[in-house]
Amino acid sequence: MAWRIDKNIIKGVIHSQTPGKVTGEIWLKGINTPIQLNLTGNPYRDLAGSRLYFKNPNPVEGDYSGMDLLQDGVVGDMTASKKVKVLTNEEEYFADYKAVAPNFTWKNSIYLEWFSRSNGRVLIETVDFDWKISLPNWRMSEDEESEQRIKNQQAMFNFMDEISDSIEKDEDDFVGEGEMNEFQWEAYLQQNDARSDMLLELFEKYEDDPNCENLIAEAMGWKILDEEDELDEEDDIVDLEEFDFEEDEIGDYIPSHPIIISMMDIASRIFYEAESRSLLSDDSNNPWNQLLWHSQMTVSKLIAALEEVSEGMNPEPGFVVATLKRALHLIHVTIATLEAAYHIEKKRHIWTTEIRRELFALRETIYDLMQTYRKQGE
């Protein structure tokens, strides 16, 4: 959903010397020309009237496909004094989280958000930058800051409205009466992904706000019910307390479909072999960590595709094919990650060669099953 570019930034400056206007230049690693900001609105009081200079000590190059170098739009929340909890014993905790208690400290986070006409929501959120603020040439009052917060909130709501309108328009194009084919199911699942992304984005933004539930409901177009409100049959009821924000959690129950069991065995062996050889670490860029993660995600996608089949139910053929395509994509990602690990270590282990062979065999089994369900849908 949001463009999160803090890891890719080399340096930048945000100017707010003119009330109602924010400009700036941000240099990204791998791009010679800086991003130019031209935004309406104001930051919060700590930045209003000042220049914010910031520098990333460890920038990494990213994928900037689609990123417009001229960012025209509206200011969101902008501050250099957002308080966030930071894990201070990260290495020890992730090495043995069962034995080591997490230890947190509070730090100031730079939080720079805007809503671009070309790229939507863009966010810089980090505690890792070196930064300084110039003296202000004008000052914002508490009332003016309160007004700006309301405007920022409305900018977020407007952004969500645009996404929601786009989703509903696309749904009108493919949802009809009767069974849907695999392409209609693919489109439908993509729209569900977009709604889940919307909800997760809102939760991440407002989770520390005491009015979190109402803000999310308003942005999503939900109705907050009082105790005396009566429900209509057409009302959609959503309980945020029961909503699971952890995506693709497998849980204790594993359906007994042979394809799911095969992928579970592969994922389990990847964990055992990598763990026993100390190949795993707390570095998210470690290809062995990524290999394990992608294999586990593949299991989740296969459960989503084949759970009803394993229980003897008869889901629509188009649904099964569309969801198997998603699992197939992750199998390809898992194979590619395995190849990346080969490339880094410059050697092939016997166990990885066996897993590679098993992944290709499983891929062929999924292809055959997709063809079976395609014939059923004809």
Side-chain angles (χ1 to χ4, degrees):
M1 288 273 293
W3 286 78
R4 299 174 185 269
I5 59 174
D6 45 275
K7 292 182 179 179
N8 314 123
I9 291 173
I10 299 173
K11 62 180 180 178
V13 57
I14 301 293
H15 310 263
S16 60
Q17 276 79 22
T18 303
K21 187 175 182 63
V22 172
T23 60
E25 299 83 39
I26 299 171
W27 283 260
L28 301 180
K29 187 174 178 63
I31 300 181
N32 294 327
T33 304
I35 291 176
Q36 301 286 336
L37 302 187
N38 183 27
L39 310 171
T40 58
N42 295 306
Y44 290 161
R45 293 176 70 195
D46 63 323
L47 296 182
S50 303
R51 289 188 180 92
L52 169 67
Y53 300 91
F54 50 90
K55 182 178 181 180
N56 182 2
N58 298 298
V60 295
E61 191 165 337
D63 180 5
Y64 312 119
S65 304
M67 170 64 76
D68 197 331
L69 292 180
L70 180 58
Q71 293 285 302
D72 283 310
V74 179
V75 169
D77 293 330
M78 284 193 171
T79 178
S81 57
K82 181 180 179 181
K83 298 294 185 182
V84 296
K85 285 173 68 175
V86 177
L87 189 63
T88 57
N89 59 339
E90 182 176 339
E91 187 171 336
E92 295 177 43
Y93 177 69
F94 285 113
D96 190 2
Y97 68 91
K98 292 182 179 179
V100 179
N103 186 27
F104 293 97
T105 187
W106 288 94
K107 288 189 177 182
N108 271 354
S109 169
I110 289 180
Y111 191 97
L112 304 174
E113 175 191 53
W114 66 89
F115 298 92
S116 162
R117 294 187 180 90
S118 53
N119 293 119
R121 185 175 179 233
V122 186
L123 180 61
I124 300 168
E125 182 179 16
T126 181
V127 298
D128 298 325
F129 284 8
D130 300 320
W131 53 273
K132 62 180 180 179
I133 303 173
S134 70
L135 292 173
N137 61 3
W138 66 275
R139 295 188 181 274
M140 174 183 281
S141 69
E142 290 185 12
D143 289 342
E144 288 172 332
E145 184 177 57
S146 296
E147 291 176 6
Q148 185 62 50
R149 288 179 183 272
I150 293 172
K151 291 178 181 178
N152 295 349
Q153 179 181 302
Q154 190 57 52
M156 184 70 176
F157 291 173
N158 291 342
F159 172 60
M160 289 296 167
D161 284 343
E162 290 177 7
I163 296 175
S164 182
D165 290 344
S166 175
I167 291 172
E168 291 175 2
K169 180 180 180 299
D170 290 342
E171 282 180 345
D172 292 340
D173 293 338
F174 62 79
V175 176
E177 295 182 0
E179 291 189 358
M180 296 192 294
N181 60 36
E182 64 181 271
F183 306 106
Q184 290 170 317
W185 270 113
E186 281 185 90
Y188 177 77
L189 292 169
Q190 288 170 3
Q191 306 315 316
N192 280 348
D193 289 345
R195 282 200 177 90
S196 296
D197 288 344
M198 285 173 62
L199 189 56
L200 187 62
E201 193 101 357
L202 287 163
F203 184 76
E204 288 178 348
K205 180 174 174 62
Y206 294 122
E207 61 179 324
D208 295 326
D209 193 300
N211 199 31
C212 173
E213 186 172 320
N214 289 328
L215 289 169
I216 291 176
E218 184 174 350
M220 295 295 291
W222 297 336
K223 180 181 179 182
I224 297 292
L225 298 176
D226 296 324
E227 291 184 3
E228 62 272 13
D229 287 338
E230 295 184 4
L231 300 181
D232 295 330
E233 291 183 1
E234 297 179 355
D235 284 337
D236 291 329
I237 308 302
V238 179
D239 186 351
L240 284 180
E241 293 183 357
E242 296 181 0
F243 190 90
D244 183 4
F245 288 96
E246 295 294 329
E247 298 182 68
D248 296 297
E249 185 174 320
I250 297 174
D252 296 329
Y253 167 68
I254 303 297
S256 58
H257 194 284
I259 288 179
I260 298 174
I261 299 302
S262 295
M263 191 62 219
M264 276 289 296
D265 290 342
I266 292 172
S268 297
R269 184 167 183 200
I270 289 172
F271 174 76
Y272 170 77
E273 299 285 0
E275 177 72 9
S276 64
R277 290 169 171 78
S278 300
L279 297 173
L280 302 176
S281 69
D282 58 359
D283 181 4
S284 60
N285 293 320
N286 179 357
W288 299 107
N289 287 49
Q290 294 176 352
L291 177 64
L292 178 60
W293 170 249
H294 292 144
S295 67
Q296 293 171 336
M297 289 290 290
T298 305
V299 173
S300 296
K301 295 300 182 185
L302 286 170
I303 290 174
L306 299 172
E307 181 176 6
E308 292 186 356
V309 175
S310 68
E311 294 175 352
M313 301 171 66
N314 294 309
E316 292 185 18
F319 169 80
V320 177
V321 175
T323 49
L324 283 175
K325 279 184 181 178
R326 294 179 153 219
L328 200 59
H329 168 71
L330 275 170
I331 285 181
H332 290 150
V333 172
T334 304
I335 292 171
T337 309
L338 194 59
E339 296 293 339
Y342 291 155
H343 179 73
I344 290 173
E345 290 212 0
K346 298 181 180 178
K347 64 179 179 180
R348 295 177 181 266
H349 303 285
I350 294 176
W351 67 273
T352 54
T353 301
E354 291 173 353
I355 283 176
R356 184 176 184 273
R357 183 171 61 248
E358 291 172 10
L359 285 169
F360 275 104
L362 187 62
R363 185 183 71 166
E364 294 306 310
T365 302
I366 293 173
Y367 276 136
D368 291 342
L369 187 60
M370 289 170 62
Q371 287 300 108
T372 299
Y373 275 94
R374 282 189 175 118
K375 290 178 181 178
Q376 289 183 18
E378 291 177 353

